[in-house]
């Protein structure tokens, strides 16, 4: 059992009574419970996360945006666990943006569960404690003699028992406890089970859940047109044909972000000037958008794919100076090595391609803004809007809707600000909708990357030195303190960066989404050059990092890594080689979690078939077991698809792929037929899961394809390399 | 502008819209059924799939006025039109992640099972290939289709 002293916790924020008497670290609605409206049948709100209904049901608020990662189910599970109610009696509501009530209403970095773990447990435990306090007072017995189970408080000595709903009606003026006791994980009843996604029923019957689905009375449809190439801006607009289309209301140009504010969205705003069409229905506005005749002018020169590749190659080709990390003397070690292997890996820009394109609702009235839509960063939307439009933050509301995919794209809420600026201009509520083409050619891409690894092997087939130089648009991908740093006496790592007018952004597992595959492909090749089994080779390096680590800043725990590899080794029966099954292994640490994968390939008529993916995960305590498996399966599919097919190319700043006819995403039948996922059971507080299952995938895939075809793969999308080598992938 | 008649989920609708409006936008903006999703607008992603006389059809490129008396079934009407087993199987496998593409996936599966009550794996892949799931829920989608078949499939 963990005791949480509420008044002594570091995160406690004491605020004055002006804000409603908030006294505790996770924000309370008040010192004393708030009495809800009769109609709602809510009888007690112990804090901002919990509403107790008179019939014993509870409403649990989910503060974090749901983007497909399952957080709207997982956070309430944690609260319900500590509140000690049956999951069947839980209703879940998405909370709007309310920074005064909730911490970190952000979907990003796979950090929601990790960072809110104690907060939301404490919320549940405090709610339970308050209800117990009410029962103790009612029965005039010590609170220590009470127990709870599934929403019922019992007093064994007297035989009394009462449901949460009944006692909640009597719980007024029960003080918020100063200290609560959290459950021992071994007593968890909800955490670790597999309830369904709380929205699954609404999804399968087509209920309106997404920003695109919200139809508010009087809302004007707006679409934007951004320049056809990066580096351009509109010069003049001939809107006569557009305005002739029925139902079109207005055509105008907006300048979305003053220069000094651009970087508030990580500098991703490549197109600050946009041409806007507004009208009464989506189809008419789409047609009008196509009918615009816009003259563009060049601000900065358009770039080309080949130039990016050449410049990145130049950057990583020079002698490494001022490395980000250096241990020993790798260059001298290479000179005396028996064998030196040097390999270059690369990957292109990738768009996020959430299935639901960017869209947002905004209604500006005077100095107030009402927002609703899909976003991973509602607070940033509020803050940036306040800054740009000169509106007080407290006058801006954001209703968070389920996102039809996030993957990092909706960290950048410029489309919300655009909706607000359009609403202000036309003085009406606006639903801004991007077409797929707007969405795919807008930028905010996963950066293009290039990295060079060099390894020295001694006469006894030991890896004795390794260097890595990497670069990419807006920053290189190398994590210099991660494995194999710490396992080698001679090691150096260095990042370079490429400047571009093509905008980049966080894309599921930033940097790791490329570097893990490159590193794990390289280590596979090095293992082979050393004549070692690729699994044993990794374990050997990790043992070294564990027993005699080099350097002090190693950003991983070798023990957890070793346990993880041993788990997958056992589960996939690694040592039991099966004729005709070609296997690739890959493992990576990111987002505080450890993931290992094995992909099994069979060759059928000279065509590689992805039979199965095995995955071992150490993300600490798993909240929703089947939900977690779903994330892992999706991450593997996503990783295979993007490594195999994902490709954005550009000529004179014009993106060649504008829609799914030219941009290939993985489809049915192209991924592994089955995925088996295992979690390390170590009782450690939870860490990230939304992102980490993706990064190792390109490595496991390339390593399996190598064993199946004899061809090593270095450059994504792999499909192009495989085609060059006349390997049919169907 | 044109007056267009549609029969959606068994009910007749008459809408006033642009002559060339695709069925997708007729459904979403005029009929008021938003379960059918916009994903690409060029019949490449399958998010907009509806049944037209039992055949899975990309509504984003299907002119609404061409449909005449055709029976259009959207996700909202699927349960009452023989597809409940699929929706239940989707829940059983907790298939969706973000959920945006799933209406189109379910409708494509319904179209498949209406024409082929016991498809092979290859036939499932071929029929479903036009539906992209960016979250990568393909393994569960296939499992859900097989569960629905086991539990009686869909009514033709």
């Amino acid at each position: 059992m963990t005791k949480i002293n509420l008044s002594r916790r570091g995160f406690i924020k004491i605020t004055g009574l002006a804000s409603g008497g908030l006294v505790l670290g996770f924000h309370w609605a008040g010192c004393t419970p708030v009495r809800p409206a009769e109609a709602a049948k809510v009888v007690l709100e112990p804090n901002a996360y919990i509403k107790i209904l008179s019939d014993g049901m509870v409403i649990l608020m989910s503060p974090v945006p749901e983007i497909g990662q399952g957080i709207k189910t997982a956070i309430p599970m944690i609260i319900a666990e500590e509140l000690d109610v049956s999951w069947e009696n839980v209703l879940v509501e998405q909370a709007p943006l309310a920074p005064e009530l909730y911490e970190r209403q952000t979907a990003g970095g796979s950090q929601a569960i990790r960072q809110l773990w104690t907060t939301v447990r404490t919320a549940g435990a405090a709610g339970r404690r308050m209800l117990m306090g009410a029962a103790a007072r009612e029965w005039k017995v010590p609170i220590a003699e009470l127990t709870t189970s599934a929403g019922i408080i019992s007093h064994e000595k007297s035989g009394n028992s009462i449901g949460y709903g009944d006692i909640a009606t009597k719980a007024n003026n029960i003080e918020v406890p100063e200290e609560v006791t959290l459950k021992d994980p071994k007593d968890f009843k909800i955490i670790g089970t597999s309830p369904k996604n709380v929205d699954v029923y609404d999804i399968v019957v087509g209920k309106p859940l997404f920003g695109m689905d919200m139809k508010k009375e009087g809302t004007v449809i707006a679409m934007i047109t951004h320049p056809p190439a990066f580096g351009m801006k509109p010069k003049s607009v001939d809107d006569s044909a557009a305005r002739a289309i029925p139902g079109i209301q207005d055509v105008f140009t907006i300048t979305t972000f003053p220069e000094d504010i651009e970087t508030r969205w990580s500098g991703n705003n490549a197109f600050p000037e946009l041409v806007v069409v507004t009208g009464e229905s989506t189809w008419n506005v789409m047609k009008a958008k196509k009918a615009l005749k816009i003259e563009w002018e060049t601000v900065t020169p358009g770039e080309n794919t080949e130039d990016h590749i050449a410049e990145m190659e130049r950057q990583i080709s020079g002698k490494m100076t001022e490395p980000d990390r250096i241990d020993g003397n790798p260059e001298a070690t290479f000179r005396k090595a028996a064998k030196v292997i040097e390999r270059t890996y690369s990957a292109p820009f990738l768009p996020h391609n959430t299935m639901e394109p960017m869209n947002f609702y905004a209604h500006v009235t005077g100095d107030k803004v009402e927002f609703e839509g899909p976003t991973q960063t509602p607070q940033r939307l509020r803050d940036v809007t306040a800054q740009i439009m000169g509106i007080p933050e407290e006058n801006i509301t954001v209703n968070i809707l389920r996102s039809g995919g996030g993957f990092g794209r909706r960290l950048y809420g410029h489309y919300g600000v655009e909706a607000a600026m359009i609403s202000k201009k036309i003085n009406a509520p606006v639903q801004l909708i991007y077409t797929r083409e707007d969405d795919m050619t807008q930028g905010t891409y996963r950066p293009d990357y290039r990295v060079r690894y060099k390894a020295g092997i001694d006469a006894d087939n030991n890896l004795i030195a390794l260097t890595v130089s990497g670069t990419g648009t807006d920053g290189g991908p190398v994590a210099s303190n991660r494995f194999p740093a710490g396992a080698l006496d001679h090691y150096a790592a260095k990042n370079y960066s490429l400047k571009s007018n093509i905008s980049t952004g966080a894309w599921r597992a930033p940097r790791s989404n490329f570097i893990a595959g490159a590193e794990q492909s390289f280590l596979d090749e090095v293992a082979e050059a050393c004549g070692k089994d690729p699994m044993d080779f990794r374990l050997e390096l990790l043992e070294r990092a564990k027993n005699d680590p080099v350097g002090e800043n190693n950003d991983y725990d070798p023990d957890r890594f070793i346990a993880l590899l041993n788990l997958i080794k056992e589960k996939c029966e690694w040592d039991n080689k099966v004729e005709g099954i070609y296997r690739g292994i890959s493992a990576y640490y990111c987002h505080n979690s450890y993931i290992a994968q094995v992909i099994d390939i069979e060759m059928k008529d000279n065509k590689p078939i992805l039979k199965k993916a095995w995955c071992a995960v150490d993300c600490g305590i798993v909240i929703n077991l089947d939900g977690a498996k779903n994330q892992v399966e999706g991450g593997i599919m996503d990783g295979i698809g993007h490594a195999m097919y994902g490709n954005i190319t550009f000529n004179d700043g014009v993106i060649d792929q504008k829609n799914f006819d030219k941009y290939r995403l993985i489809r049915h039948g192209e991924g592994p037929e089955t995925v088996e996922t295992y979690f390390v059971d170590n009782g450690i507080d939870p860490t990230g899961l939304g992102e980490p299952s993706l990064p190792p995938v390109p490595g496991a895939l390339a390593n399996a394809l190598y064993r199946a075809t004899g061809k090593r793969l270095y450059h994504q999308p792999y499909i192009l390399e495989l085609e060059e080598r006349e390997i049919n992938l169907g | 502008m044109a007056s267009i008649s549609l029969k959606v989920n068994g009910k007749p609708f008459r809408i006033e819209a642009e002559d060339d409006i695709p069925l997708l936008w007729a459904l979403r903006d005029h009929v008021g059924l938003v379960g059918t999703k916009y994903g690409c607008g060029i019949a490449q992603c399958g998010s907009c799939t509806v049944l037209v006389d039992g055949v899975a059809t990309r509504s984003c490129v299907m002119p609404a006025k061409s449909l005449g008396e055709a029976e259009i079934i959207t996700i909202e009407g699927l349960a009452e039109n023989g597809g409940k087993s699929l929706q239940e199987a989707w829940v059983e496998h907790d298939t969706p992640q973000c959920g945006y593409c799933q209406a189109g996936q379910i409708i494509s599966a319904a179209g498949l099972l209406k024409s082929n009550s016991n498809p092979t794996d290859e036939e499932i892949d071929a029929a479903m290939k036009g539906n992209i799931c960016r979250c990568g829920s393909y393994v569960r989608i296939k499992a859900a289709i097989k569960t629905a078949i086991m539990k009686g499939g869909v009514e033709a």
Side-chain angles (χ1 to χ4, degrees):
Chain A
M1 285 193 292
T2 311
K3 281 202 169 183
I4 301 282
N5 186 324
L6 295 175
S7 60
R8 286 190 195 151
R9 286 189 55 82
F11 64 75
I12 286 178
K13 192 171 164 187
I14 310 282
T15 57
L17 286 165
S19 322
L22 312 184
V23 290
L24 290 177
F26 61 93
H27 312 278
W28 296 82
C31 273
T32 52
V34 176
R35 186 183 282 276
E38 282 286 323
K41 292 188 183 172
V42 174
V43 287
L44 182 72
E45 288 186 66
N47 54 59
Y49 295 88
I50 301 168
K51 295 173 185 174
I52 310 280
L53 304 183
S54 43
D55 61 358
M57 298 285 287
V58 297
I59 297 171
L60 301 181
M61 303 304 288
S62 183
V64 181
E66 171 64 60
I67 60 172
Q69 82 282 47
I71 202 73
K72 194 176 170 184
T73 308
I75 292 269
M77 284 176 72
I78 302 169
I79 304 171
E81 181 71 67
E82 294 288 351
L83 182 60
D84 211 10
V85 291
S86 296
W87 184 248
E88 293 69 31
N89 289 339
V90 171
L91 304 165
V92 175
E93 282 180 14
Q94 176 72 53
L97 175 67
E100 69 283 8
L101 297 176
Y102 306 108
E103 290 172 27
R104 201 186 184 277
Q105 290 186 274
T106 296
S110 296
Q111 293 300 302
I113 298 271
R114 177 167 174 258
Q115 295 199 19
L116 298 177
W117 171 241
T118 304
T119 300
V120 300
R121 287 181 78 189
T122 306
R128 171 175 172 269
R129 174 82 188 192
M130 286 167 73
L131 292 162
M132 290 168 78
R137 196 174 61 180
E138 180 75 11
W139 295 331
K140 299 185 174 59
V141 298
I143 198 166
E145 291 181 3
L146 301 182
T147 57
T148 62
S149 179
I152 292 166
I153 303 169
S154 302
H155 183 242
E156 200 185 335
K157 281 188 192 168
S158 63
N160 280 331
S161 71
I162 190 166
Y164 282 4
D166 294 328
I167 195 65
T169 56
K170 298 171 179 165
N172 286 321
N173 303 316
I174 295 294
E175 288 191 5
V176 169
E178 283 183 9
E179 188 179 88
V180 294
T181 304
L182 302 180
K183 279 188 181 176
D184 186 322
K186 75 174 168 41
D187 297 325
F188 285 163
K189 294 173 197 158
I190 296 172
I191 290 171
T193 62
S194 299
K196 310 293 185 206
N197 164 0
V198 293
D199 283 338
V200 69
Y201 297 96
D202 288 346
I203 290 168
V204 303
V205 299
K207 289 255 175 70
L209 292 170
F210 301 95
M212 293 285 280
D213 303 342
M214 296 305 157
K215 301 285 171 194
K216 290 181 199 279
E217 195 63 28
T219 301
V220 172
I221 303 290
M223 291 198 180
I224 52 99
T225 296
H226 64 65
F230 286 90
M232 294 187 117
K233 67 172 188 176
K235 187 179 179 191
S236 66
V237 180
D238 173 359
D239 60 13
S240 49
R243 284 181 184 275
I245 290 168
I248 295 307
Q249 295 173 349
D250 209 347
V251 180
F252 50 90
T253 302
I254 56 168
T255 302
T256 54
F257 295 91
E259 253 172 50
D260 58 331
I261 295 176
E262 268 188 43
T263 52
R264 292 296 299 273
W265 299 109
S266 302
N268 74 321
N269 189 33
F271 302 123
E273 283 183 59
L274 303 167
V275 182
V276 179
V277 181
T278 63
E280 58 193 32
S281 72
T282 317
W283 180 242
N284 293 27
V285 176
M286 266 184 184
K287 284 171 69 178
K289 176 170 145 60
K290 279 187 190 151
L292 290 171
K293 294 185 185 72
I294 307 170
E295 197 183 338
W296 309 95
E297 61 183 326
T298 299
V299 184
T300 54
E303 300 173 4
N304 296 289
T305 304
E306 314 81 78
D307 296 342
H308 267 233
I309 292 170
E311 175 58 15
M312 288 196 286
E313 175 62 21
R314 191 195 63 75
Q315 287 184 338
I316 60 170
S317 294
K319 188 174 166 358
M320 193 192 290
T321 53
E322 297 178 18
D324 301 332
R325 168 167 173 161
I326 184 157
D327 298 317
N329 190 339
E331 284 308 320
T333 312
F334 289 140
R335 282 192 292 274
K336 63 181 185 192
K339 252 187 281 185
V340 172
I341 303 175
E342 196 169 359
R343 296 287 182 267
T344 303
Y345 301 82
S346 71
F349 282 120
L350 295 177
H352 296 81
N353 277 331
T354 59
M355 288 314 293
E356 179 194 23
M358 297 309 109
N359 69 91
F360 229 75
Y361 169 88
H363 190 192
V364 181
T365 47
D367 67 346
K368 290 192 170 64
V369 187
E370 185 193 332
F371 278 122
E372 181 174 272
T375 172
Q376 296 178 238
T377 53
Q379 188 167 353
R380 190 140 54 132
L381 173 62
R382 185 192 72 165
D383 295 351
V384 174
T385 304
Q387 195 179 350
I388 289 175
M389 299 181 79
I391 289 173
E393 285 172 6
E394 59 272 22
N395 287 2
I396 301 171
T397 60
V398 185
N399 197 24
I400 304 163
L401 297 180
R402 185 179 190 87
S403 285
F407 310 106
R409 179 61 184 84
R410 292 189 230 267
L411 294 167
Y412 309 97
H414 56 90
Y415 50 93
V417 182
E418 289 159 13
M421 298 186 91
I422 297 165
S423 172
K424 189 178 179 186
K425 165 98 179 166
I426 65 170
N427 197 25
V430 162
Q431 187 183 28
L432 172 66
I433 297 171
Y434 278 32
T435 63
R436 174 58 58 195
E437 290 83 359
D438 296 331
D439 197 283
M440 205 182 287
T441 59
Q442 184 275 341
T444 323
Y445 299 132
R446 192 287 297 273
D448 47 357
Y449 287 124
R450 196 170 187 87
V451 65
R452 181 157 303 145
Y453 281 94
K454 192 172 175 183
I457 298 165
D458 69 11
D460 298 325
N461 284 326
N462 295 306
L463 171 63
I464 51 173
L466 185 142
T467 60
V468 50
S469 304
T471 186
T473 296
D474 297 329
V478 177
S480 58
N481 291 320
R482 286 193 188 152
F483 183 78
L488 296 159
D489 292 312
H490 304 282
Y491 168 85
K494 168 82 175 173
N495 265 321
Y496 300 86
S497 182
L498 183 71
K499 278 206 181 315
S500 172
N501 62 9
I502 298 175
S503 66
T504 64
W507 189 104
R508 192 177 199 172
R511 298 171 296 283
S512 306
N513 56 42
F514 167 70
I515 198 69
E519 171 200 293
Q520 291 293 309
S521 298
F522 186 65
L523 287 181
D524 209 74
E525 196 164 346
V526 171
E528 188 182 36
C530 293
K532 290 177 183 168
D533 175 87
M535 184 80 81
D536 295 343
F537 177 70
R538 285 166 173 82
L539 283 165
E540 201 178 285
L541 288 171
L542 286 162
E543 287 291 344
R544 164 69 204 274
K546 176 187 171 181
N547 298 324
D548 182 20
V550 181
E552 285 168 3
N553 298 318
N554 300 325
D555 179 22
Y556 61 95
D557 178 344
D559 278 321
R560 287 178 78 173
F561 231 141
I562 290 165
L564 177 86
L565 283 175
N566 282 327
L567 177 66
I568 199 160
K569 195 176 170 184
E570 175 207 325
K571 294 297 181 186
C572 79
E573 299 183 40
W574 178 263
D575 293 329
N576 180 19
K577 305 285 179 234
V578 176
E579 186 75 25
I581 295 284
Y582 303 96
R583 297 194 131 168
I585 166 79
S586 180
Y588 199 67
Y589 164 76
C590 64
H591 301 87
N592 315 95
S593 294
Y594 300 78
I595 307 250
Q597 284 151 354
V598 168
I599 289 179
D600 290 355
I601 289 179
E602 268 180 27
M603 292 301 280
K604 194 175 167 189
D605 306 328
N606 199 33
K607 181 182 166 184
I609 307 288
L610 301 182
K611 289 303 286 183
K612 186 164 184 172
W614 307 78
C615 191
V617 184
D618 175 357
C619 61
I621 293 168
V622 176
I623 311 303
N624 183 341
L625 183 59
D626 192 54
K629 285 182 177 173
N630 202 349
Q631 287 300 301
V632 169
E633 291 161 17
I636 290 172
M637 205 62 78
D638 190 6
I640 290 170
H642 283 93
M644 192 67 88
Y645 313 117
N647 197 14
I648 285 284
T649 56
F650 43 102
N651 279 295
D652 297 328
V654 177
I655 299 301
D656 297 322
Q657 298 78 15
K658 297 178 173 62
N659 205 325
F660 297 127
D661 53 343
K662 295 273 171 58
Y663 187 90
R664 184 168 174 187
L665 280 168
I666 192 166
R667 289 176 183 270
H668 282 275
E670 294 176 337
E673 291 170 11
T674 54
V675 178
E676 264 186 48
T677 305
Y678 299 91
F679 293 90
V680 175
D681 182 10
N682 56 16
I684 295 172
D685 283 357
T687 53
L689 190 63
E691 294 167 272
S693 65
L694 182 136
V697 175
L701 178 62
N703 296 337
L705 282 167
Y706 166 66
R707 294 208 166 70
T709 68
K711 309 288 184 192
R712 290 272 179 198
L713 298 169
Y714 302 100
H715 302 285
Q716 296 178 26
Y718 293 154
I719 184 95
L720 296 180
E721 267 192 324
L722 289 163
E723 279 168 4
E724 271 171 26
R725 291 154 185 207
E726 296 176 346
I727 291 160
N728 167 30
L729 271 163
Chain B
M1 297 292 277
S3 182
I4 301 170
S5 296
L6 293 169
K7 196 170 173 199
V8 184
N9 300 329
K11 286 189 211 122
F13 291 88
R14 181 169 287 274
I15 65 166
E16 301 297 322
E18 280 285 276
D19 199 42
D20 56 354
I21 191 167
L23 176 59
L24 171 67
W25 298 110
L27 290 169
R28 291 184 57 87
D29 282 2
H30 297 276
V31 176
L33 294 174
V34 296
T36 306
K37 298 293 191 263
Y38 167 72
C40 69
I42 58 166
Q44 292 291 315
C45 78
S47 297
C48 68
T49 308
V50 298
L51 294 177
V52 175
D53 288 333
V55 178
T57 303
R58 310 294 179 227
S59 67
C60 71
V61 294
M62 172 63 64
K65 70 171 180 189
S66 70
L67 291 164
E69 287 297 296
E71 295 275 355
I72 299 157
I73 302 296
T74 71
I75 190 71
E76 291 93 341
L78 189 66
E80 293 77 47
N81 287 278
K84 202 172 178 203
S85 60
L86 279 165
Q87 289 161 309
E88 285 172 349
W90 245 251
V91 171
E92 185 180 328
H93 289 274
D94 206 15
T95 304
Q97 289 183 35
C98 88
Y100 191 81
C101 75
Q102 298 293 349
Q105 303 277 1
I106 293 169
I107 295 281
S108 282
L112 166 65
L113 299 192
K114 273 177 190 284
S115 65
N116 179 353
S117 60
N118 196 18
T120 62
D121 276 25
E122 288 71 24
E123 285 168 337
I124 294 175
D125 288 341
M128 299 300 293
K129 210 140 195 172
N131 288 77
I132 296 172
C133 173
R134 174 64 181 81
C135 300
S137 66
Y138 298 127
V139 170
R140 286 177 188 237
I141 289 173
K142 192 183 256 183
I145 293 172
K146 289 181 174 178
T147 295
I149 294 168
M150 261 177 22
K151 294 193 174 174
V154 303
E155 291 161 30

